[in-house]
Amino acid sequence: QLKLVNPSQYRFEHLVTQMKWRLQEGRGEAVYQIGVEDNGLLVGLSEEEMRASLKTLRRMAEKVGADITVLREREVDYDSDVPRKITEVLVRKVPDNQQFLDLRVAVLGNVDSGKSTLLGVLTQGELDNGRGRARLNLFRHLHEIQSGRTSSISFEILGFNSKGEVVNYSDSRTAEEICESSSKMITFIDLAGHHKYLKTTIFGLTSYCPDFAMLVVSANTGIAGTTREHLGLAMALKVPFFIVISKVDLCSKATVERTVKQLERILKQPGCNKLPLLVNSDDDAVTAAQQFAQSPNITPIFTLSSVSGENLDLLKVFLNILPPLTNSKEQEELMQQLTEFQVDEIYTVPEVGTVVGGTLSSGICREGENLVVGPTDDGKFLRLKVCSIQRNRSACRVLRAGQAATLALGPFDRSLLRKGMVMVSPEMNPTICSVFEAEIVLLFHATTFRKGFQVTVHVGNVRQTAIVEKIHGKDKLRTGEKAVVCFRFIKHPEYLKIGAKLLFREGVTKGIGHVTNLQAITTKENGLEESLGPGQLSF
C-alpha cells in the first residue's frame, strides 16, 4: 500500500474487506508494506503520513479483530528534503474456525550438535548452563537423561501471540495456557541425531509430515557424522529446511566463519542447488522468512548460542513471521475428502483406555465418530469409535486435515493396533496391498542391487521389510541408477497410496522414490471384521 491517510468511509470499508481476504488467504497472517506503490516502486512516506497510515491500519485491524506488529522500518532515498520511510507491518488474526495457526518443524542434525538444548532454551525461556540443563525436560526416557542422547521422538511447543511475542513455558505456564494465549503455534519434532537411531529419525520425517526442517550444526565440529545424511533426507522428502549453527560461544569468530563457508559450499553444490542467506540482523530475519516461504531454494543460516543467548532473538523473529506452506484453499479441499488418520503412536492411559497419536491427512474427525482401523495382519479392518480428541495436550472437539492429535478409543484392544495403520471412514473402501511398484533412485549401494534383496521400506507412517520381486527392464541396479521396482511386504499387507514418497534402507544401502502402482487385495476377500469389543454391531 502507498499510503492510508484519512480514507473516506467507502474506501475504508473497501480496505477492510481487502484485509479480510488477505488474512483468509494467508491462513490468518498478512504482511503490509506501507510506502510502496502497487508497481513495487519504493516511494516512502514522511513521518506524519506514516503515523496517519499506521493509525488507519490499526483501525482496519481492530475492525477485523486482528493485531498488528511493526516488523521493520527503512529510510529510502527519494527526491525530497524530508526523510521518507517505508514500513513493513505484520497483521495477524486467529481464524474463527480454529484455535491457532499450526506449523510443524522437524529438528535434524548430528549427535551432540545441540538440538535438544536449543529446543529447551526456546520452549522453556531459560538459557542453558553449558552442561545440558535446558534439555532435561525434553527427554522421555531415563537412558536419554543418563547418556544425554535423544533416542525417541519428542514434541515441544512454542507459541507466538497475535502481537508477535513469544509464549513459552516461562512464567510457569502449562501447555494448555500456551495454546490458549497463542495465535500461532510451532510444534518442534525433536529427532535423534545418533546413527543407530536413524530409523526413528526417518520415521519422524516421513510420518509426521513436517512443514519445515531445522538442521542444527555445531560451530566447533562443522559438518560431521549424520549431518550430510539428514540434509539428504530433507532434500529427498522435499522438506524446505533452514540451518542453525549452534555453540558459537565455544569457538572463535574464524571457526564460525569456517563452518559457515563449509555449509555454503555444500549448499551450492549441483545436488543441493540452494542459495544460502546468512542472517545477521532483524532485517535479515524478516527478509529470510518471506523469501524462504516463496522460493524453497533459499536456505537461511543462523549463528547462535544456547548458552549466551546470542542471536536467539533472530531465530524467534524468523519463526514468528514464517508463513504456512499451504493456503486456506488447499486445506479446505483436503477437508472435503473422506476421513483418514495415520496412526503413529499407541499408548494405554489409565482410566481412558487405548489412545492413538498421529496426523489427520484428510477430512474432518469429530468426537463420537465411527471409523474403521486396519489393515490387521490378515488384511482386515476393524470398527471403532473415537471417544475424545486432544490436540497439544488440550481437549478439542473437531480435528481438521493436516492437524496432529491424539484420539482416545476407549476399551478397544491395544494389541490389535500397530504403528503404520490407518483409521478411515467406513465408506472409503480402503485399498490394501502386499505387492507394489515404485520408481526408485538408488542413492548408495556397495555392490549391485538385484532381485531377492531385502530392504526396510518407509512410506509415510508405514515401516516394514520388503523383498525386491522384480526390477523392470534391468537385471541389477548400481548407485545412482533409476528403475521401476516391484516390492513385496514380507509380514502383512499395508495401506498405501499411489504417488506417496518412499524411502528405503538396509545397512549402507539407501534409495528414494515414489509409489507408482499397487496390486490391491480386494476388500471382498478381506471383508470388514469385528473386533471383540462388547456390544458392537457387526457389518
Side-chain angles (χ1 to χ4, degrees):
Q1 300 285 342
L2 180 54
K3 54 181 173 182
L4 312 163
V5 183
N6 297 337
S8 64
Q9 186 60 32
Y10 174 72
R11 166 103 174 117
F12 183 72
E13 293 295 334
H14 172 73
L15 286 168
V16 168
T17 314
Q18 196 180 25
M19 185 182 265
K20 267 188 189 156
W21 184 80
R22 283 201 176 134
L23 285 171
Q24 197 180 347
E25 272 298 282
R27 287 179 52 186
E29 288 188 336
V31 174
Y32 273 76
Q33 292 173 328
I34 301 175
V36 180
E37 281 199 4
D38 290 348
N39 60 7
L41 186 67
L42 305 175
V43 180
L45 297 181
S46 65
E47 192 74 34
E48 214 166 285
E49 289 178 322
M50 186 56 82
R51 226 178 329 189
S53 296
L54 286 173
K55 192 176 162 192
T56 308
L57 200 61
R58 269 200 190 89
R59 271 176 56 212
M60 284 157 59
E62 269 170 28
K63 184 115 184 187
V64 187
D67 278 297
I68 74 170
T69 333
V70 175
L71 294 178
R72 54 179 176 175
E73 288 186 338
R74 220 188 245 161
E75 289 205 359
V76 285
D77 301 330
Y78 197 69
D79 311 335
S80 77
D81 312 331
V82 197
R84 286 172 163 269
K85 281 184 177 172
I86 50 174
T87 307
E88 272 190 51
V89 184
L90 175 71
V91 183
R92 181 178 290 160
K93 169 183 190 269
V94 184
D96 311 322
N97 61 354
Q98 70 186 67
Q99 301 113 320
F100 40 74
L101 257 168
D102 198 10
L103 290 184
R104 285 196 290 275
V105 178
V107 185
L108 298 167
N110 189 27
V111 63
D112 300 337
S113 63
K115 297 185 291 299
S116 302
T117 300
L118 174 61
L119 292 194
V121 170
L122 283 172
T123 56
Q124 312 292 330
E126 280 178 27
L127 292 175
D128 188 47
N129 61 353
R131 291 189 300 282
R133 189 181 65 189
R135 65 183 183 199
L136 288 178
N137 298 328
L138 272 74
F139 286 154
R140 292 172 52 172
H141 303 289
L142 180 63
H143 68 257
E144 294 185 322
I145 294 173
Q146 287 162 347
S147 71
R149 300 244 163 97
T150 308
S151 66
S152 61
I153 299 173
S154 65
F155 291 91
E156 284 307 313
I157 53 177
L158 174 68
F160 290 98
N161 61 19
S162 48
K163 294 188 181 71
E165 294 157 357
V166 174
V167 183
N168 55 17
Y169 289 110
S170 59
D171 317 329
S172 64
R173 288 192 187 91
T174 60
E176 284 161 28
E177 285 168 31
I178 293 180
C179 292
E180 279 165 20
S181 48
S182 302
S183 60
K184 178 179 194 168
M185 291 281 292
I186 291 185
T187 308
F188 289 107
I189 307 166
D190 189 16
L191 301 174
H194 199 279
H195 204 276
K196 82 176 189 198
Y197 306 124
L198 185 68
K199 71 170 198 176
T200 307
T201 304
I202 294 180
F203 182 74
L205 269 178
T206 52
S207 66
Y208 292 112
C209 333
D211 297 306
F212 302 105
M214 174 163 88
L215 184 70
V216 183
V217 180
S218 156
N220 53 356
T221 51
I223 294 172
T226 45
T227 309
R228 283 169 197 266
E229 214 155 305
H230 286 179
L231 189 71
L233 285 175
M235 302 273 304
L237 294 166
K238 296 191 170 56
V239 180
F241 60 91
F242 57 97
I243 295 177
V244 170
I245 297 176
S246 63
K247 306 191 186 184
V248 296
D249 58 301
L250 278 184
C251 43
S252 64
K253 253 195 169 133
T255 319
V256 177
E257 279 169 18
R258 196 182 69 216
T259 307
V260 171
K261 286 209 167 64
Q262 196 185 4
L263 270 168
E264 287 180 342
R265 200 167 56 240
I266 282 193
L267 290 171
K268 286 175 181 168
Q269 281 174 355
C272 277
N273 224 348
K274 301 275 185 199
L275 195 69
L277 174 64
L278 192 61
V279 177
N280 290 321
S281 63
D282 280 0
D283 210 35
D284 292 349
V286 175
T287 313
Q290 291 168 358
Q291 299 285 343
F292 180 55
Q294 285 160 9
S295 87
N297 283 355
I298 286 178
T299 303
I301 300 179
F302 296 85
T303 52
L304 53 85
S305 160
S306 305
V307 175
S308 66
E310 184 186 334
N311 288 354
L312 259 176
D313 291 347
L314 299 186
L315 183 61
K316 289 176 184 167
V317 166
F318 175 79
L319 292 170
N320 174 32
I321 304 169
L322 201 57
L325 280 178
T326 53
N327 56 23
S328 50
K329 193 170 159 209
E330 288 168 34
Q331 196 197 11
E332 275 169 16
E333 281 170 9
L334 272 176
M335 277 159 52
Q336 280 156 10
Q337 295 168 11
L338 290 169
T339 306
E340 182 189 316
F341 182 86
Q342 295 185 355
V343 177
D344 295 333
E345 295 199 63
I346 302 150
Y347 324 94
T348 305
V349 180
E351 298 180 6
V352 177
T354 306
V355 173
V356 294
T359 312
L360 188 70
S361 42
S362 65
I364 288 182
C365 179
R366 294 183 176 82
E367 275 184 15
E369 197 158 343
N370 290 308
L371 300 172
V372 294
V373 67
T376 54
D377 291 355
D378 47 4
K380 297 190 171 68
F381 276 77
L382 312 167
R383 299 177 57 171
L384 53 81
K385 184 179 178 185
V386 177
C387 300
S388 66
I389 303 174
Q390 271 205 347
R391 190 165 160 236
N392 282 345
R393 307 184 180 95
S394 46
C396 161
R397 298 240 169 251
V398 180
L399 192 61
R400 295 180 172 75
Q403 296 179 345
T406 49
L407 313 181
L409 307 178
F412 193 83
D413 183 2
R414 177 186 172 161
S415 60
L416 297 169
L417 296 169
R418 60 180 167 80
K419 284 183 185 183
M421 283 187 160
V422 284
M423 288 163 54
V424 293
S425 55
E427 59 261 35
M428 191 157 174
N429 202 1
T431 54
I432 58 169
C433 67
S434 282
V435 180
F436 67 97
E437 285 178 6
E439 187 179 312
I440 63 157
V441 179
L442 202 56
L443 294 181
F444 182 75
H445 187 41
T447 55
T448 53
F449 180 85
R450 53 180 72 225
K451 185 183 166 188
F453 198 74
Q454 284 196 5
V455 291
T456 307
V457 174
H458 293 258
V459 187
N461 62 342
V462 170
R463 173 171 70 183
Q464 203 191 134
T465 307
I467 295 179
V468 176
E469 292 267 292
K470 185 181 177 188
I471 301 176
H472 291 287
K474 290 181 184 171
D475 293 339
K476 55 191 181 218
L477 277 184
R478 291 185 186 279
T479 301
E481 293 187 340
K482 237 184 187 180
V484 176
V485 177
C486 182
F487 290 101
R488 180 168 55 84
F489 285 127
I490 63 170
K491 277 175 77 179
H492 33 69
E494 296 280 13
Y495 169 84
L496 296 181
K497 279 176 158 173
I498 288 181
K501 292 193 195 89
L502 165 136
L503 264 162
F504 60 86
R505 58 181 177 82
E506 179 53 54
V508 289
T509 303
K510 291 184 189 64
I512 56 169
H514 60 272
V515 179
T516 53
N517 192 7
L518 307 173
Q519 292 188 15
I521 302 169
T522 54
T523 346
K524 293 245 176 0
E525 294 166 26
N526 71 358
L528 286 163
E529 283 272 329
E530 218 25 65
S531 78
L532 305 168
Q536 288 179 313
L537 296 167
S538 99
F539 266 37

